[in-house]
Amino acid sequence: MKTSLILLLALLFNTTLIFAEPLLFFVQAVHPAILFAVEGILVVGYSLNRFLGDFSKAVEISFDSIEVFVYKKRR
């Protein structure tokens, strides 16, 4: 959850830098293609994080019922 929140905040910040006119002063030296590339990387990272998080919950394996070593008492 924390990683997803950080990625969403980074996506929001990067999108703001791309489309906000008042912030043009701060990002004048940065080429827009770099910002779009970072945006794409952030979207892929967020999607991958969400997929792997859901996937790990779906394939959780429980070894509670497996009896590998069964000891029988000698009579």
Side-chain angles (χ1 to χ4, degrees):
M1 179 67 183
K2 291 183 272 186
T3 307
S4 297
L5 182 63
I6 290 170
L7 286 171
L8 280 175
L9 288 174
L11 278 167
L12 178 66
F13 180 69
N14 196 44
T15 305
T16 303
L17 289 178
I18 292 172
F19 296 111
E21 192 69 31
L23 293 176
L24 183 63
F25 175 74
F26 296 114
V27 293
Q28 269 182 334
V30 179
H31 196 273
I34 295 172
L35 294 176
F36 284 117
V38 170
E39 185 82 15
I41 291 169
L42 288 171
V43 167
V44 169
Y46 176 73
S47 302
L48 191 62
N49 181 47
R50 292 291 301 190
F51 173 76
L52 291 177
D54 293 341
F55 183 73
S56 67
K57 289 177 188 173
V59 297
E60 188 173 307
I61 299 172
S62 174
F63 293 108
D64 294 338
S65 63
I66 296 177
E67 296 180 9
V68 178
F69 298 107
V70 179
Y71 296 103
K72 294 183 181 178
K73 293 182 180 179
R74 290 187 178 178
R75 295 182 191 198

